[in-house]
Amino acid sequence: MIRGTIDKIAGPLVVADGMKDARMYDLVYVSDYKLIGEIIELKGSKASIQVYEETGGLKPGDPVIATGEPLSVELGPGLVTAIYDGIQRPLDEIRKEAGDWITRGISIRGLDHKKEWDFKPAAAVGLEVSGGEVLGEVPETKLITHKIMVPPEVSGEITWMIEAGKYNIDTVIAKLKTPDGLTVELPMYHNWPVRKPRPIAEKMAPVEPLITGQRVIDAFFPLGKGGTACVPGPFGSGKTVIQHQLAKWADAEMVVYVGCGERGNEMTDVLQEFPELEDPKSGEPLIFRTVLVANTSNMPVAAREASVYTGITIGEYFRDMGYSVALMADSTSRWAEAMREMSGRLEEMPGEEGYPAYLGTRIAEFYERAGNVKCIGGDRNGALTVVGAVSPAGGDLSDPVVQATLRVVKVFWSLQAKLAYARHFPAIGWLDSYSLYTDNLKDYYNEVLGGDWVPMIKEAISLLQQEANLLEIARLVGAESLSPEDQLILFTARSLREDFLHQNAFHEVDTYTSIVKQKLMMEVIMHTNAEMKKAIRNGVSPGDLFDLPLKEEIARMSYIPEKDLDAIEEINKHVNSQINDLIEKEQTA
Amino acid sequence: MIREYTTTVEISGPLMLVDRVEGVAYEELVEIELPSGEIRHGKVLEIDSRMALVQLFEGSSGTGITESRVRFLGKQVELGVSEEMLGRVFDGQGRPRAPFDTAPPIVPEKMKNINGAPINPYARDYPAEFIQTGFSSIDGINTLVRGQKLPVFSGSGLPHSAVAAQIARQARVVGEGESFAVVFAAMGITFEEADYFIRDFRKTGAMDRAVVFMNLASDPAIERISTPRMALTAAEYLAYEKDMHILVILTDMTNYCDALREISAARKEVPGRRGYPGYLYTDLSSIYERAGRIKGRKGSITQIPILTMPEDDKTHPIPDLTGYITEGQLILNRELHKKGIYPPMDVMESLSRLKDKGIGKGKTRDDHADLFNQLMAAYSAGKDARELAVILGAAALSPLDQKYLKFAEEYEKRYISQGEHENRNIEETLDLGWELLKLLPRNEMKRIDPGRLDRYWPVSEEESD
């Protein structure tokens, strides 16, 4: 323990003297309030500390104590369904202790150390184990079986193992004899420093898509399990709704949602909704597979900087158990701004737009913690998928945070204000978004959806591109002056946009579309396109085709419940008969 | 413990540097006594083991290095609160403000730190109660709910004051008679604007249920930093301790941000976009996030901050960062204003993020969401048709586009536009929406659930036009 005194206070930055022996990123307690902080600069005997709580009322001369430990999170049973602030303090416990407002100097541990869990051993005495190997299991929720693993940097021979039973997380469940001959007692949890990635055995390319139930994503710009994506967009374009939709419907086994510097009411929304919403696969409440980290915009800015690391470390821990984990960070711009604020207070030389010069490095390091991996300690594969929202200033994509993010992520969902104003949601632009996973995922699609899916999507995208060009011309000469073939392109592209890409997140059926239903819907639209093309070749006028009642039926496809999918296939028959009637009429005339 | 110093070494802009201080705390309240006996106020902005940097609320004119006596008061900036505040007009520091209010200061029931504390997200209750403002363009399209923060983005010369006053006058929760009050904070607005609000409040009787904090354009700019915090402290007291539903109107946030920039520049901080400090987002959120509802408490705080966008530019840092914090925005549009439409609400660019939980069966009506989606889609198509008509001439439009064009015109004239004293209830607003949709072919109603469409627009009615 190193004791120093406060020398200077400027907002969330406190400079302490007498800290010669402290280390970078050590956790410190500031003043008699015991405010939590982290050392971010050392100069001679002075340490600059970013303080995770309000600093009003602190005085020069107040004590500062360095713990000698880096900022860490507690990892063990009790994480699932929790809601934490940026430094893993449970917000529900804070409320019990401090009331409706967050006051200062509250010290509560991340996990409940009193609660007892059903523990079942999975290893035996005499076994040589190393980091990541499973010692036992705890059924934490109906959806998550918590694997108690040997902490990553520990190994040895098991000399003692506890019997199955109910224990709290402080209970020693195994004793190891390390190669140095020391005995290590392992409780059900361990600590891990948030800024240090947890080790893995091997990283692999994503080969399976993260099915999200969002048509524009799954069909056009899919995200691989273990991949990275970014959603930049101006305010009001629906970033948060997309993040919420992914957190609700993505087929990950575990979801970590980090609300970083965003609105308090949005976190409340998640908190109230998730216990009620059902996981589409298991029918269990979604909260049973969710951890929330909420550091809203008015909570201390330094803790906001830490919140994304707290979130991703928890994500990595569940990945190590062999789960497919999805982490949503909303919004990484607020995280970058917190970095900028601290950098400014440290009087560092600024890079672009006042952001620190190391902004790009930090962002790259963060996204690099995602991955489809072979876990350490046993034959398990896990995946950590990261989706970061970015809120560029003025919606301008030349923003340094957007540019630094685009350099590392593989999927870009470009949110467009113009679509949002037309209430086309999700407002993901189909012309400039991209996914670099399409090739990796080809085999999966061929197997699950058949060989015609990938070419069909290519054709749909090409139609939308042709539409963009044709609209320019149509604007000048009027749509009626276009050739019938071109008019059909406009018709089908409109149908793709309005009947397929548009999706109502607040409609109970439309909010989630299985990949099978997506394929059926796409087939109907493309089939109609092909049939109409045939009719036009047979001389049917486009005006007559576009007025057919089938249009209305196609528009309602998305509201057909998952259990009545036959009804969608049925539409194809109506399409055939209605169009054939027109062809026959044309031929008899 | 009060300590007095005469060791000022530097005065620059609104900042004062005091040397050889001891035991002074960060953010401590400061009193400066001038030789004339005049008392100024300030707070500690930065402190190290020798010097304190003090921000002067009333500006530095007339202060001197040798003659100023600086007292550190051992507490942070506080506001005395009580229920007597209702009906009163205060200045930016919580003192009765002449000429609007000449009564003696209130007797405070308690003192509250004006910075407040962040509401624990776990303690928040999700805003879901519909507030009827009487404006179709708000109630029907960008519905306001209790506990929301919904700013008005305006421009110079647009009628934002009239809109805000009308909301303050008409806003109510359907079917409830709970106590409701307005807290109004004016920052750097002109006497005329302030007078408009006060007179409107007095005329309509709203003044008895209002607390006003007023910092006019001629008042010290730095005082604007504390004005909204004073107002919100009063609002929190009334909402959470006295169970009242409070509507907070803050105008004009642009002046607030400019005051913040002034201090940042005086401190020689690295500027962010357009010279505003890098922490503008965090600072604004410490104001806006004080809106909300809390589980187990009856009262609520709904915020309507008003800001004027320089050059009507929505990407300017002030509207931009505001939009990222608030739950939507109401945008006033110059083009509509010129057409004579009041309120000139740009419904396309406006948005209320919380409306989905505040509308529908039991709140407004079951058809509200579908109707809203359809109206927006139709208006959007109508505006596209209008653009096309400019290029091609209206005669060259397809029959369908002509219908959409007609719809857009009627929508602006009859739905968006309404009188300054016209208070439409939600039923009227929704019915008007259906009436306008019937200008279009029935098979264009793609956003409406088929069953609902049959109920509100039976097939038999289609040919009626």
Side-chain angles (χ1 to χ4, degrees):
Chain A
M1 288 248 223
I2 298 148
R3 282 166 195 277
T5 52
I6 295 183
D7 180 60
K8 178 184 163 181
I9 306 141
L13 180 78
V14 165
V15 178
D17 205 353
M19 305 288 287
K20 194 161 64 70
D21 298 324
R23 279 177 309 207
M24 283 291 277
Y25 295 109
D26 270 2
L27 190 73
V28 291
Y29 293 109
V30 178
S31 88
D32 295 327
Y33 294 113
K34 295 216 169 211
L35 307 186
I36 299 169
E38 201 181 11
I39 297 178
I40 53 172
E41 192 179 74
L42 287 167
K43 257 187 205 160
S45 64
K46 287 190 179 170
S48 298
I49 298 160
Q50 60 174 353
V51 180
Y52 295 133
E53 299 177 70
E54 280 305 319
T55 51
L58 298 192
K59 290 176 191 161
D62 282 354
V64 173
I65 299 167
T67 58
E69 297 283 333
L71 179 69
S72 302
V73 285
E74 288 189 339
L75 301 168
L79 285 168
V80 189
T81 75
I83 172 165
Y84 293 120
D85 76 349
I87 47 174
Q88 212 208 6
R89 293 183 303 181
L91 287 169
D92 46 348
E93 296 298 321
I94 292 182
R95 185 176 184 220
K96 267 185 220 156
E97 188 159 311
D100 295 336
W101 284 270
I102 299 176
T103 49
R104 292 191 296 186
I106 300 166
S107 174
I108 300 173
R109 300 176 78 171
L111 297 175
D112 185 341
H113 286 246
K114 290 202 188 89
K115 184 167 179 178
E116 294 194 330
W117 301 92
D118 272 318
F119 175 81
K120 230 192 299 157
V125 172
L127 213 63
E128 286 282 344
V129 292
S130 62
E133 281 187 61
V134 179
L135 293 171
E137 286 182 349
V138 168
E140 187 167 353
T141 66
K142 279 183 184 155
L143 293 176
I144 294 288
T145 301
H146 199 113
K147 298 194 171 75
I148 311 295
M149 299 171 289
V150 180
E153 285 160 359
V154 176
S155 62
E157 186 196 330
I158 300 179
T159 55
W160 178 82
M161 196 71 219
I162 206 165
E163 285 168 17
K166 265 178 140 14
Y167 310 105
N168 67 25
I169 59 170
D170 282 326
T171 314
V172 173
I173 50 143
K175 289 180 187 166
L176 298 192
K177 203 167 131 198
T178 67
D180 314 340
L182 298 170
T183 298
V184 187
E185 297 188 335
L186 297 176
M188 256 195 264
Y189 77 101
H190 65 269
N191 290 322
W192 188 263
V194 295
R195 293 180 198 276
K196 184 173 166 187
R198 288 173 64 87
I200 50 166
E202 196 188 329
K203 215 170 204 175
M204 300 168 293
V207 288
E208 220 181 277
L210 184 79
I211 304 295
T212 63
Q214 311 305 303
R215 297 189 288 266
V216 59
I217 293 176
D218 291 348
F220 281 22
F221 311 110
L223 172 58
K225 276 184 185 160
T228 51
C230 103
V231 207
F235 63 81
S237 56
K239 279 184 300 297
T240 301
V241 176
I242 287 184
Q243 292 275 39
H244 283 197
Q245 286 295 92
L246 294 186
K248 284 176 195 167
W249 308 124
D251 70 338
E253 289 155 307
M254 184 70 205
V255 170
V256 181
Y257 192 93
V258 184
C260 172
E262 287 288 309
R263 304 174 180 92
N265 280 332
E266 279 170 3
M267 293 317 297
T268 311
D269 188 23
V270 174
L271 271 172
Q272 296 193 347
E273 236 184 9
F274 277 37
E276 279 164 30
L277 288 172
E278 282 176 10
D279 175 29
K281 268 201 293 191
S282 61
E284 293 295 331
L286 283 174
I287 196 82
F288 284 173
R289 57 155 205 193
T290 310
V291 180
L292 297 168
V293 178
N295 209 87
T296 58
S297 57
N298 57 338
M299 283 156 75
V301 65
R304 192 197 301 168
E305 199 268 334
S307 64
V308 296
Y309 294 106
T310 298
I312 203 156
T313 309
I314 294 173
E316 284 177 337
Y317 175 64
F318 283 98
R319 173 207 65 195
D320 290 346
M321 294 180 204
Y323 287 118
S324 162
V325 183
L327 177 126
M328 280 80 200
D330 183 17
S331 147
T332 57
S333 288
R334 306 301 161 224
W335 166 50
E337 275 165 17
M339 266 192 259
R340 172 167 74 181
E341 190 170 340
M342 293 317 296
S343 164
R345 306 248 186 209
L346 284 171
E347 291 167 8
E348 290 174 340
M349 188 67 88
E352 242 177 306
E353 285 194 23
Y355 285 103
Y358 46 80
L359 174 76
T361 323
R362 292 276 168 90
I363 288 178
E365 279 169 359
F366 171 71
Y367 282 102
E368 198 51 22
R369 289 175 77 165
N372 179 25
V373 306
K374 198 169 175 312
C375 309
I376 56 166
D379 191 21
R380 291 189 305 271
N381 287 344
L384 176 57
T385 314
V386 176
V387 181
V390 191
S391 322
D396 177 5
L397 295 184
S398 68
D399 174 87
V401 184
V402 176
Q403 287 306 317
T405 308
L406 285 181
R407 281 204 296 275
V408 285
V409 300
K410 296 281 193 297
V411 177
F412 168 49
W413 294 321
S414 166
L415 291 175
Q416 300 193 334
K418 197 173 167 282
L419 293 176
Y421 297 153
R423 297 308 192 264
H424 175 102
F425 288 111
I428 296 177
W430 45 87
L431 294 177
D432 40 13
S433 300
Y434 60 76
S435 164
L436 301 182
Y437 293 115
T438 332
D439 278 343
N440 288 10
L441 304 175
K442 221 185 225 160
D443 292 344
Y444 174 91
Y445 286 130
N446 288 344
E447 194 180 315
V448 176
L449 293 175
D452 52 343
W453 173 250
V454 176
M456 190 158 69
I457 293 300
K458 275 204 179 127
E459 196 190 343
I461 292 182
S462 133
L463 278 172
L464 287 166
Q465 263 153 359
Q466 294 177 50
E467 181 202 28
N469 298 334
L470 285 174
L471 278 178
E472 298 273 305
I473 304 171
R475 206 163 276 269
L476 293 174
V477 299
E480 272 68 28
S481 327
L482 295 177
S483 72
E485 285 80 9
D486 284 349
Q487 289 185 39
L488 176 61
I489 291 175
L490 289 187
F491 176 83
T492 307
R494 184 175 171 196
S495 174
L496 280 170
R497 283 190 282 114
E498 294 184 356
D499 308 329
F500 188 82
L501 296 180
H502 174 86
Q503 192 168 357
N504 184 352
F506 301 99
H507 188 281
E508 53 176 333
V509 174
D510 203 17
T511 186
Y512 174 86
T513 310
S514 72
I515 186 105
V516 176
K517 182 175 164 192
Q518 292 186 25
K519 188 180 179 206
L520 290 173
M521 288 173 68
M522 186 53 99
E523 273 171 351
V524 169
I525 295 173
M526 299 313 281
H527 176 72
T528 310
N529 184 52
E531 290 298 307
M532 285 191 170
K533 214 185 250 174
K534 208 161 72 189
I536 285 174
R537 272 204 303 270
N538 280 304
V540 179
S541 94
D544 290 344
L545 282 171
F546 303 161
D547 273 344
L548 286 177
L550 58 89
K551 194 165 106 180
E552 225 173 309
E553 235 181 312
I554 291 176
R556 307 220 178 280
M557 261 185 325
S558 58
Y559 300 118
I560 296 175
E562 294 285 339
K563 56 178 179 11
D564 304 332
L565 292 186
D566 295 349
I568 299 184
E569 283 178 282
E570 200 64 23
I571 299 176
N572 282 324
K573 288 183 197 152
H574 303 167
V575 169
N576 290 345
S577 69
Q578 289 178 22
I579 294 179
N580 282 336
D581 285 353
L582 279 185
I583 296 178
E584 272 167 35
K585 231 197 284 172
E586 181 66 31
Q587 282 167 347
T588 50
Chain B
M1 182 182 62
I2 294 173
R3 295 131 311 178
E4 191 174 283
Y5 296 89
T6 52
T7 47
T8 306
V9 286
E10 194 182 312
I11 302 173
S12 140
L15 303 180
M16 182 180 244
L17 198 60
V18 189
D19 198 10
R20 287 177 313 224
V21 295
E22 237 175 78
V24 171
Y26 179 62
E27 296 210 319
E28 189 169 335
L29 185 63
V30 183
E31 247 180 34
I32 298 107
E33 192 182 328
L34 305 191
S36 61
E38 186 191 338
I39 305 275
R40 301 270 177 96
H41 297 85
K43 72 167 185 184
V44 177
L45 213 53
E46 200 173 300
I47 172 89
D48 63 26
S49 43
R50 286 188 52 227
M51 301 218 245
L53 184 68
V54 177
Q55 170 195 326
L56 302 171
F57 296 144
E58 293 109 326
S60 58
S61 69
T63 53
I65 286 185
T66 50
E67 318 155 305
S68 302
R69 307 168 78 84
V70 182
R71 284 192 287 272
F72 294 89
L73 303 181
K75 58 177 185 190
Q76 295 185 30
V77 186
E78 289 175 328
L79 175 72
V81 290
S82 89
E83 275 180 285
E84 286 174 39
M85 286 187 299
L86 289 166
R88 300 290 304 265
V89 183
F90 303 99
D91 71 0
Q93 285 183 63
R95 300 170 296 211
R97 163 82 199 202
F100 305 102
D101 189 330
T102 47
I106 59 158
V107 181
E109 186 195 309
K110 57 154 80 173
M111 303 298 288
K112 283 177 80 87
N113 185 329
I114 65 162
N115 288 324
I119 300 176
N120 186 334
Y122 191 79
R124 278 183 188 269
D125 207 352
Y126 197 74
E129 291 155 310
F130 166 68
I131 297 180
Q132 181 177 299
T133 65
F135 281 113
S136 294
S137 50
I138 298 178
D139 297 348
I141 303 299
N142 295 299
T143 319
L144 177 69
V145 295
R146 240 178 210 174
Q148 184 174 16
K149 40 194 178 295
L150 189 63
V152 177
F153 288 5
S154 182
S156 344
L158 295 180
H160 46 264
S161 297
V163 174
Q166 193 169 350
I167 293 175
R169 204 160 58 219
Q170 299 178 349
R172 66 188 189 91
V173 170
V174 180
E176 277 185 55
E178 288 175 66
S179 50
F180 177 83
V182 175
V183 171
F184 181 84
M187 292 156 282
I189 64 171
T190 61
F191 177 82
E192 277 166 59
E193 279 176 276
D195 194 49
Y196 171 84
F197 278 105
I198 301 257
R199 261 195 296 152
D200 192 87
F201 288 168
R202 290 226 162 99
K203 199 170 66 196
T204 57
M207 194 63 212
D208 299 340
R209 315 296 299 158
V211 185
V212 179
F213 289 84
M214 195 156 285
N215 166 287
L216 298 186
S218 53
D219 292 334
I222 304 308
E223 204 180 89
R224 282 164 212 161
I225 305 292
S226 53
T227 310
R229 296 189 164 83
M230 293 273 171
L232 286 161
T233 305
E236 280 171 1
Y237 167 79
L238 293 172
Y240 302 130
E241 294 181 34
K242 299 292 162 194
D243 294 341
M244 297 176 84
H245 294 287
I246 308 292
L247 178 70
V248 180
I249 298 176
L250 307 167
T251 179
D252 176 328
M253 289 307 290
T254 306
N255 296 332
Y256 169 84
C257 295
D258 283 352
L260 204 63
R261 176 166 68 176
E262 202 178 318
I263 294 173
S264 171
R267 292 181 71 181
K268 302 186 175 59
E269 290 171 333
V270 181
R273 276 208 306 155
R274 298 230 185 170
Y276 292 97
Y279 49 79
L280 183 61
Y281 176 85
T282 306
D283 190 276
L284 283 175
S285 71
S286 71
I287 294 176
Y288 297 143
E289 278 289 331
R290 288 171 82 170
R293 306 214 49 191
I294 293 179
K295 282 183 214 159
R297 291 182 196 252
K298 268 199 189 144
S300 66
I301 295 181
T302 310
Q303 270 188 32
I304 301 190
I306 297 170
L307 56 89
T308 43
M309 299 180 279
E311 289 178 88
D312 294 352
D313 176 11
K314 203 174 59 140
T315 64
H316 183 281
I318 301 171
D320 189 46
L321 295 178
T322 297
Y324 275 126
I325 304 165
T326 54
E327 285 130 355
Q329 65 279 337
L330 300 171
I331 299 189
L332 302 188
N333 178 300
R334 201 167 291 278
E335 209 180 306
L336 289 176
H337 180 59
K338 281 187 191 149
K339 272 194 189 170
I341 290 168
Y342 171 87
M345 193 73 71
D346 189 328
V347 288
M348 303 301 287
E349 295 203 18
S350 299
L351 167 76
S352 164
R353 290 161 186 274
L354 302 183
K355 68 162 196 309
D356 298 293
K357 298 271 163 78
I359 64 176
K361 211 174 166 184
K363 305 237 162 96
T364 53
R365 210 165 71 186
D366 70 312
D367 57 326
H368 194 156
D370 284 2
L371 184 61
F372 152 82
N373 280 321
Q374 192 62 59
L375 283 170
M376 290 307 293
Y379 184 45
S380 169
K383 287 182 86 167
D384 284 348
R386 186 186 288 162
E387 260 178 53
L388 214 55
V390 172
I391 304 171
L392 301 172
L397 292 182
S398 70
L400 182 61
D401 278 346
Q402 296 206 0
K403 279 186 180 163
Y404 271 115
L405 179 60
K406 175 95 179 5
F407 170 84
E409 296 293 331
E410 291 294 310
Y411 184 69
E412 285 173 6
K413 253 185 266 164
R414 292 168 55 196
Y415 193 91
I416 298 178
S417 184
Q418 65 188 83
E420 225 175 291
H421 288 275
E422 184 181 352
N423 190 355
R424 287 188 200 148
N425 70 32
I426 185 67
E427 292 281 327
E428 288 168 339
T429 290
L430 293 173
D431 292 343
L432 182 59
W434 279 109
E435 199 183 315
L436 290 168
L437 280 182
K438 289 178 188 174
L439 295 168
L440 298 168
R442 192 172 182 274
N443 64 6
E444 285 291 305
M445 304 295 117
K446 289 188 173 186
R447 306 272 168 100
I448 296 176
D449 183 80
R452 210 164 272 146
L453 186 58
D454 289 343
R455 240 180 313 132
Y456 285 92
W457 186 354
V459 187
S460 54
E461 272 184 34
E462 165 141 51
E463 302 307 322
S464 61
D465 62 326

